[in-house]
Amino acid sequence: MSRQYLLAADVGGTKVAVSLAVAGAAARPEIVAQQVYACREFAGLQPLLENFLKLPVVAERRGEIAAACFAVAGPVASNSTTLTNLGWAIDGNALAVKLRLPEVRLMNDFFAAGRGIGRLAPGEIETLQAGNPVARAARLIIGAGTGLGVGFLTWHDEGYTVHPSEAGHADFAPVDELQDRLLAHLRRSFGRVSYERVVSGPGLMRIFSVLLQETGAGIPSKQLQEALKQRADTAEVISEFAMARLDPLAVRALELFVSIYGAFAGNLALTTLARGGVYVSGGIAPKIAPTLKEGAFLRAFVHKGRFSDLLAAMPVRVVMNPHVGLYGALLEAARLCA
Protein backbone atom coordinates (compact mmCIF):
# COMPACT_ATOMS: atom_id res chain seq x y z
CA MET A 1 0.00 0.00 0.00
CA SER A 2 1.46 3.36 -1.02
CA ARG A 3 1.97 6.19 1.43
CA GLN A 4 -0.57 8.98 1.60
CA TYR A 5 0.33 12.63 2.06
CA LEU A 6 -1.31 15.75 3.46
CA LEU A 7 -1.09 19.25 2.02
CA ALA A 8 -1.50 22.17 4.40
CA ALA A 9 -1.00 25.92 4.30
CA ASP A 10 -1.19 28.81 6.76
CA VAL A 11 -2.29 31.78 4.66
CA GLY A 12 -1.67 35.15 6.28
CA GLY A 13 -1.79 38.70 5.04
CA THR A 14 1.96 38.86 4.37
CA LYS A 15 3.29 35.31 4.17
CA VAL A 16 2.06 31.82 3.35
CA ALA A 17 3.65 28.72 4.88
CA VAL A 18 2.97 25.49 2.94
CA SER A 19 3.79 21.93 4.02
CA LEU A 20 3.57 18.43 2.64
CA ALA A 21 3.45 15.79 5.37
CA VAL A 22 3.04 12.04 5.71
CA ALA A 23 -0.47 10.98 6.68
CA GLY A 24 -0.47 8.84 9.80
CA ALA A 25 -1.32 8.54 13.45
CA ALA A 26 1.61 10.60 14.78
CA ALA A 27 0.81 13.49 17.14
CA ARG A 28 2.55 15.79 14.67
CA PRO A 29 2.62 14.61 11.05
CA GLU A 30 6.09 14.09 9.58
CA ILE A 31 6.79 17.04 7.27
CA VAL A 32 8.70 16.12 4.11
CA ALA A 33 8.65 19.56 2.44
CA GLN A 34 7.96 23.07 3.67
CA GLN A 35 8.23 26.49 2.07
CA VAL A 36 7.37 30.03 3.16
CA TYR A 37 6.30 32.48 0.43
CA ALA A 38 5.78 36.24 0.38
CA CYS A 39 2.20 37.00 -0.65
CA ARG A 40 3.25 40.05 -2.68
CA GLU A 41 5.04 37.77 -5.16
CA PHE A 42 1.80 36.07 -6.26
CA ALA A 43 -1.54 37.17 -7.66
CA GLY A 44 -3.45 34.68 -5.51
CA LEU A 45 -3.26 31.43 -3.58
CA GLN A 46 -3.62 29.13 -6.60
CA PRO A 47 -0.38 30.18 -8.40
CA LEU A 48 1.47 30.07 -5.08
CA LEU A 49 0.34 26.50 -4.43
CA GLU A 50 1.16 25.51 -8.00
CA ASN A 51 4.71 26.74 -7.37
CA PHE A 52 4.95 24.55 -4.27
CA LEU A 53 3.48 21.51 -6.01
CA LYS A 54 6.16 21.78 -8.72
CA LEU A 55 9.01 21.40 -6.24
CA PRO A 56 10.72 18.06 -7.06
CA VAL A 57 10.21 16.55 -3.60
CA VAL A 58 6.51 17.47 -3.79
CA ALA A 59 5.87 16.74 -7.47
CA GLU A 60 6.90 13.10 -7.12
CA ARG A 61 4.31 12.65 -4.35
CA ARG A 62 1.54 14.80 -5.80
CA GLY A 63 -0.60 11.86 -6.88
CA GLU A 64 -0.58 10.50 -3.33
CA ILE A 65 -1.97 13.65 -1.65
CA ALA A 66 -5.10 12.41 0.11
CA ALA A 67 -6.40 15.69 1.56
CA ALA A 68 -5.58 19.36 1.89
CA CYS A 69 -6.47 21.96 4.48
CA PHE A 70 -5.63 25.66 4.37
CA ALA A 71 -5.79 27.98 7.37
CA VAL A 72 -6.79 31.43 6.15
CA ALA A 73 -6.71 34.87 7.79
CA GLY A 74 -10.38 35.66 7.38
CA PRO A 75 -13.87 34.36 8.19
CA VAL A 76 -14.82 31.16 6.36
CA ALA A 77 -18.32 30.47 5.04
CA SER A 78 -19.33 27.71 2.60
CA ASN A 79 -15.66 26.71 2.30
CA SER A 80 -14.67 30.10 0.90
CA THR A 81 -13.24 33.39 2.17
CA THR A 82 -11.75 36.73 1.21
CA LEU A 83 -8.61 37.48 3.19
CA THR A 84 -9.22 40.47 5.44
CA ASN A 85 -5.85 42.18 4.94
CA LEU A 86 -4.93 40.96 1.47
CA GLY A 87 -8.09 40.76 -0.60
CA TRP A 88 -7.46 37.32 -2.07
CA ALA A 89 -10.74 35.50 -2.73
CA ILE A 90 -10.29 31.78 -2.00
CA ASP A 91 -12.75 28.99 -2.76
CA GLY A 92 -11.72 25.61 -1.38
CA ASN A 93 -13.95 23.59 -3.71
CA ALA A 94 -12.67 25.42 -6.78
CA LEU A 95 -9.05 24.94 -5.66
CA ALA A 96 -9.62 21.20 -5.29
CA VAL A 97 -10.72 21.03 -8.94
CA LYS A 98 -8.00 23.32 -10.31
CA LEU A 99 -5.18 21.66 -8.37
CA ARG A 100 -6.53 18.13 -8.93
CA LEU A 101 -6.80 17.38 -5.23
CA PRO A 102 -9.39 15.03 -3.67
CA GLU A 103 -10.57 17.66 -1.18
CA VAL A 104 -9.58 21.13 0.02
CA ARG A 105 -10.92 22.35 3.35
CA LEU A 106 -10.61 25.98 4.45
CA MET A 107 -10.52 26.95 8.11
CA ASN A 108 -9.97 30.22 9.96
CA ASP A 109 -6.31 30.64 10.85
CA PHE A 110 -6.94 30.96 14.59
CA PHE A 111 -9.23 27.96 14.53
CA ALA A 112 -6.19 26.14 13.14
CA ALA A 113 -3.86 27.72 15.71
CA GLY A 114 -6.22 26.66 18.48
CA ARG A 115 -6.01 23.07 17.29
CA GLY A 116 -2.25 23.29 16.95
CA ILE A 117 -1.38 24.50 20.46
CA GLY A 118 -2.17 21.10 21.95
CA ARG A 119 0.60 19.56 19.81
CA LEU A 120 3.39 21.99 20.66
CA ALA A 121 6.53 20.72 22.35
CA PRO A 122 7.50 22.23 25.74
CA GLY A 123 10.38 24.12 24.13
CA GLU A 124 7.95 25.88 21.77
CA ILE A 125 6.15 27.70 24.59
CA GLU A 126 7.47 30.31 27.03
CA THR A 127 5.62 31.25 30.19
CA LEU A 128 4.83 34.87 31.03
CA GLN A 129 2.63 34.03 34.02
CA ALA A 130 2.37 30.56 35.54
CA GLY A 131 -0.99 31.26 37.20
CA ASN A 132 -3.14 28.45 38.54
CA PRO A 133 -4.38 26.49 35.51
CA VAL A 134 -7.76 24.79 35.82
CA ALA A 135 -8.13 21.46 34.03
CA ARG A 136 -10.65 21.49 31.18
CA ALA A 137 -11.30 25.22 31.64
CA ALA A 138 -11.64 27.54 28.65
CA ARG A 139 -8.53 28.61 26.79
CA LEU A 140 -7.83 31.69 24.70
CA ILE A 141 -5.44 32.13 21.79
CA ILE A 142 -4.64 35.58 20.46
CA GLY A 143 -2.04 36.68 17.96
CA ALA A 144 -0.90 39.86 16.25
CA GLY A 145 0.73 39.78 12.83
CA THR A 146 -0.43 41.54 9.69
CA GLY A 147 -3.80 41.44 11.45
CA LEU A 148 -5.04 40.43 14.91
CA GLY A 149 -6.41 36.91 15.26
CA VAL A 150 -8.42 35.42 18.11
CA GLY A 151 -9.83 32.01 18.94
CA PHE A 152 -11.08 30.31 22.08
CA LEU A 153 -11.35 26.72 23.19
CA THR A 154 -13.90 24.89 25.35
CA TRP A 155 -13.78 21.34 26.65
CA HIS A 156 -16.14 18.86 25.03
CA ASP A 157 -16.22 15.09 25.65
CA GLU A 158 -12.55 14.05 25.57
CA GLY A 159 -10.85 17.14 24.21
CA TYR A 160 -10.99 20.81 23.36
CA THR A 161 -13.30 22.24 20.70
CA VAL A 162 -11.99 25.36 18.98
CA HIS A 163 -14.19 28.35 18.19
CA PRO A 164 -12.99 30.92 15.64
CA SER A 165 -13.55 34.59 16.34
CA GLU A 166 -13.22 38.02 14.76
CA ALA A 167 -12.72 39.74 18.12
CA GLY A 168 -9.65 41.53 16.77
CA HIS A 169 -12.08 43.85 15.00
CA ALA A 170 -13.77 44.95 18.25
CA ASP A 171 -13.63 48.66 19.07
CA PHE A 172 -10.31 49.91 20.44
CA ALA A 173 -10.82 51.03 24.06
CA PRO A 174 -8.12 53.41 25.38
CA VAL A 175 -7.20 53.15 29.07
CA ASP A 176 -5.29 56.43 29.60
CA GLU A 177 -4.81 59.90 28.11
CA LEU A 178 -2.01 58.89 25.74
CA GLN A 179 -4.18 56.12 24.30
CA ASP A 180 -7.05 58.61 24.09
CA ARG A 181 -4.87 60.77 21.86
CA LEU A 182 -3.81 57.74 19.83
CA LEU A 183 -7.47 56.91 19.21
CA ALA A 184 -8.19 60.50 18.20
CA HIS A 185 -5.35 60.43 15.64
CA LEU A 186 -6.45 57.10 14.18
CA ARG A 187 -10.10 58.11 14.04
CA ARG A 188 -9.17 60.82 11.54
CA SER A 189 -7.88 58.13 9.18
CA PHE A 190 -10.32 55.27 9.79
CA GLY A 191 -13.44 56.68 11.42
CA ARG A 192 -14.12 53.58 13.47
CA VAL A 193 -10.92 52.20 15.05
CA SER A 194 -10.64 48.50 15.87
CA TYR A 195 -7.98 46.84 18.00
CA GLU A 196 -6.46 45.41 14.82
CA ARG A 197 -5.66 48.95 13.66
CA VAL A 198 -3.39 49.21 16.73
CA VAL A 199 -2.31 45.69 17.73
CA SER A 200 -0.74 44.46 14.49
CA GLY A 201 2.35 45.06 12.40
CA PRO A 202 0.79 48.07 10.65
CA GLY A 203 -0.56 49.13 14.06
CA LEU A 204 2.93 49.38 15.54
CA MET A 205 3.92 51.70 12.70
CA ARG A 206 0.80 53.80 13.37
CA ILE A 207 1.71 54.07 17.05
CA PHE A 208 5.22 55.12 16.10
CA SER A 209 3.89 57.76 13.69
CA VAL A 210 1.48 59.19 16.26
CA LEU A 211 4.21 59.38 18.92
CA LEU A 212 6.39 61.16 16.39
CA GLN A 213 3.74 63.87 16.16
CA GLU A 214 3.41 64.17 19.94
CA THR A 215 5.03 67.27 21.46
CA GLY A 216 8.34 66.38 23.07
CA ALA A 217 8.37 62.83 21.72
CA GLY A 218 11.69 63.36 19.96
CA ILE A 219 12.73 62.27 16.49
CA PRO A 220 14.03 58.91 15.26
CA SER A 221 17.78 58.36 15.16
CA LYS A 222 19.47 58.63 11.76
CA GLN A 223 20.14 54.88 11.85
CA LEU A 224 16.46 54.14 12.36
CA GLN A 225 15.42 56.59 9.63
CA GLU A 226 17.78 54.86 7.18
CA ALA A 227 16.57 51.40 8.15
CA LEU A 228 12.94 52.45 7.69
CA LYS A 229 13.75 53.64 4.17
CA GLN A 230 15.61 50.48 3.19
CA ARG A 231 13.38 47.73 4.58
CA ALA A 232 9.79 46.97 3.64
CA ASP A 233 8.76 45.60 7.06
CA THR A 234 8.79 48.83 9.04
CA ALA A 235 7.19 47.24 12.11
CA GLU A 236 10.01 44.71 12.30
CA VAL A 237 12.56 47.52 12.05
CA ILE A 238 10.92 49.45 14.90
CA SER A 239 10.71 46.39 17.14
CA GLU A 240 14.35 45.46 16.47
CA PHE A 241 15.58 48.97 17.32
CA ALA A 242 13.36 49.02 20.40
CA MET A 243 14.53 45.69 21.79
CA ALA A 244 18.17 46.64 21.21
CA ARG A 245 17.51 50.02 22.91
CA LEU A 246 18.94 51.81 19.88
CA ASP A 247 16.20 54.41 19.58
CA PRO A 248 14.12 55.96 22.42
CA LEU A 249 11.12 56.64 20.20
CA ALA A 250 11.07 53.03 18.99
CA VAL A 251 11.29 51.85 22.62
CA ARG A 252 8.32 54.02 23.58
CA ALA A 253 6.28 52.81 20.58
CA LEU A 254 6.88 49.13 21.34
CA GLU A 255 6.11 49.62 25.04
CA LEU A 256 2.80 51.26 24.17
CA PHE A 257 2.03 48.52 21.64
CA VAL A 258 2.75 45.79 24.22
CA SER A 259 0.64 47.53 26.86
CA ILE A 260 -2.38 47.80 24.55
CA TYR A 261 -1.84 44.18 23.48
CA GLY A 262 -1.89 43.07 27.13
CA ALA A 263 -5.01 45.08 27.94
CA PHE A 264 -6.87 43.57 24.99
CA ALA A 265 -5.76 40.04 25.93
CA GLY A 266 -7.03 40.72 29.45
CA ASN A 267 -10.40 41.86 28.09
CA LEU A 268 -10.78 38.63 26.16
CA ALA A 269 -9.57 36.53 29.09
CA LEU A 270 -12.37 38.09 31.16
CA THR A 271 -14.86 37.48 28.35
CA THR A 272 -13.99 33.79 28.04
CA LEU A 273 -12.89 33.14 31.66
CA ALA A 274 -9.74 31.57 30.23
CA ARG A 275 -8.66 29.74 33.39
CA GLY A 276 -7.18 27.02 31.17
CA GLY A 277 -4.61 29.44 29.80
CA VAL A 278 -4.03 32.36 27.47
CA TYR A 279 -1.75 31.68 24.50
CA VAL A 280 -0.11 34.65 22.77
CA SER A 281 0.65 33.52 19.24
CA GLY A 282 1.02 35.09 15.78
CA GLY A 283 3.99 36.35 13.81
CA ILE A 284 4.97 39.18 16.17
CA ALA A 285 4.98 37.50 19.60
CA PRO A 286 8.04 35.25 19.10
CA LYS A 287 10.05 38.19 17.80
CA ILE A 288 9.28 40.45 20.75
CA ALA A 289 9.18 37.78 23.49
CA PRO A 290 11.92 39.55 25.53
CA THR A 291 9.80 42.72 25.60
CA LEU A 292 6.66 40.76 26.48
CA LYS A 293 8.56 39.38 29.48
CA GLU A 294 9.59 42.82 30.75
CA GLY A 295 6.24 43.35 32.45
CA ALA A 296 4.16 45.93 30.52
CA PHE A 297 2.08 43.21 28.87
CA LEU A 298 1.17 41.50 32.15
CA ARG A 299 0.62 44.76 34.02
CA ALA A 300 -1.99 45.75 31.45
CA PHE A 301 -3.38 42.20 31.31
CA VAL A 302 -4.17 42.03 35.02
CA HIS A 303 -5.14 45.71 35.46
CA LYS A 304 -8.86 45.01 35.62
CA GLY A 305 -9.92 46.61 38.90
CA ARG A 306 -11.93 44.22 41.09
CA PHE A 307 -11.03 41.32 38.79
CA SER A 308 -7.26 41.77 38.84
CA ASP A 309 -6.81 38.73 41.12
CA LEU A 310 -8.80 36.61 38.69
CA LEU A 311 -6.53 37.66 35.80
CA ALA A 312 -3.39 37.09 37.90
CA ALA A 313 -4.43 33.45 38.35
CA MET A 314 -4.70 32.75 34.60
CA PRO A 315 -1.68 31.13 32.91
CA VAL A 316 -0.25 33.27 30.10
CA ARG A 317 2.13 31.71 27.58
CA VAL A 318 3.90 32.85 24.43
CA VAL A 319 3.82 30.47 21.46
CA MET A 320 7.35 30.61 20.05
CA ASN A 321 6.64 28.45 17.00
CA PRO A 322 5.22 30.69 14.25
CA HIS A 323 3.77 27.67 12.39
CA VAL A 324 1.28 26.51 15.03
CA GLY A 325 -1.56 27.22 12.59
CA LEU A 326 0.10 24.97 10.04
CA TYR A 327 0.02 22.12 12.57
CA GLY A 328 -3.68 22.69 13.07
CA ALA A 329 -4.29 22.60 9.32
CA LEU A 330 -2.30 19.36 9.03
CA LEU A 331 -4.38 17.81 11.82
CA GLU A 332 -7.58 18.72 9.99
CA ALA A 333 -6.22 17.31 6.73
CA ALA A 334 -5.36 14.09 8.60
CA ARG A 335 -8.92 13.91 9.94
CA LEU A 336 -10.32 14.33 6.42
CA CYS A 337 -8.48 11.29 5.08
CA ALA A 338 -8.84 9.12 8.20
Side-chain angles (χ1 to χ4, degrees):
M1 184 177 179
S2 63
R3 260 185 166 183
Q4 289 187 318
Y5 292 88
L6 311 171
L7 180 65
D10 188 5
V11 186
T14 304
K15 297 178 182 178
V16 178
V18 192
S19 286
L20 183 74
V22 178
R28 277 166 59 163
E30 175 193 346
I31 293 174
V32 297
Q34 184 164 303
Q35 191 85 8
V36 178
Y37 295 94
C39 296
R40 66 178 181 274
E41 297 177 0
F42 296 88
L45 183 59
Q46 183 183 334
L48 184 152
L49 292 170
E50 287 173 344
N51 182 285
F52 180 78
L53 291 168
K54 289 176 183 177
L55 297 176
V57 68
V58 180
E60 63 188 22
R61 296 170 171 85
R62 181 167 180 168
E64 298 166 304
I65 297 175
C69 180
F70 306 142
V72 294
V76 176
S78 302
N79 207 31
S80 64
T81 188
T82 298
L83 298 189
T84 305
N85 291 302
L86 187 59
W88 285 359
I90 303 171
D91 185 308
N93 298 333
L95 277 177
V97 173
K98 292 174 181 177
L99 298 176
R100 304 190 307 279
L101 296 171
E103 183 173 2
V104 170
R105 178 71 54 84
L106 301 186
M107 63 197 310
N108 175 265
D109 56 343
F110 271 75
F111 180 94
R115 292 201 64 188
I117 58 174
R119 305 303 174 95
L120 292 172
E124 295 175 313
I125 297 176
E126 291 194 9
T127 299
L128 294 185
Q129 176 171 278
N132 300 304
V134 176
R136 301 186 178 184
R139 292 176 173 178
L140 167 70
I141 183 165
I142 177 173
T146 305
L148 178 60
V150 176
F152 61 98
L153 298 80
T154 56
W155 188 269
H156 181 70
D157 293 335
E158 297 301 318
Y160 276 100
T161 298
V162 187
H163 308 275
S165 169
E166 292 297 334
H169 299 284
D171 298 326
F172 170 46
V175 300
D176 58 30
E177 291 183 1
L178 176 57
Q179 293 184 27
D180 287 340
R181 296 198 298 274
L182 174 64
L183 174 60
H185 277 279
L186 296 179
R187 190 178 284 136
R188 292 169 199 154
S189 298
F190 300 108
R192 176 185 177 271
V193 181
S194 69
Y195 269 101
E196 183 175 278
R197 300 293 192 187
V198 185
V199 185
S200 61
L204 177 56
M205 188 62 203
R206 292 180 188 118
I207 291 171
F208 180 84
S209 298
V210 170
L211 290 178
L212 190 58
Q213 298 174 50
E214 287 278 315
T215 302
I219 60 172
S221 65
K222 291 182 179 179
Q223 293 88 344
L224 177 54
Q225 292 181 49
E226 284 301 314
L228 289 172
K229 291 176 184 176
Q230 294 172 7
R231 291 170 56 181
D233 192 339
T234 52
E236 187 173 66
V237 171
I238 292 167
S239 61
E240 288 175 2
F241 271 71
M243 288 189 293
R245 301 283 172 177
L246 295 175
D247 185 274
L249 189 58
V251 169
R252 191 178 175 198
L254 186 59
E255 287 176 347
L256 180 54
F257 173 88
V258 165
S259 182
I260 297 171
Y261 201 168
F264 180 56
N267 289 345
L268 295 180
L270 277 177
T271 303
T272 57
L273 288 179
R275 294 187 176 99
V278 175
Y279 294 82
V280 185
S281 182
I284 293 176
K287 297 176 183 177
I288 65 167
T291 301
L292 293 174
K293 292 179 180 179
E294 287 176 359
F297 183 94
L298 282 178
R299 284 193 297 272
F301 179 83
V302 303
H303 187 59
K304 301 298 179 188
R306 293 172 293 170
F307 286 86
S308 292
D309 289 345
L310 174 66
L311 273 294
M314 293 183 183
V316 182
R317 304 179 176 97
V318 179
V319 177
M320 299 301 292
N321 189 322
H323 299 308
V324 61
L326 198 58
Y327 293 154
L330 283 171
L331 291 172
E332 178 64 13
R335 189 189 69 78
L336 292 174
C337 71

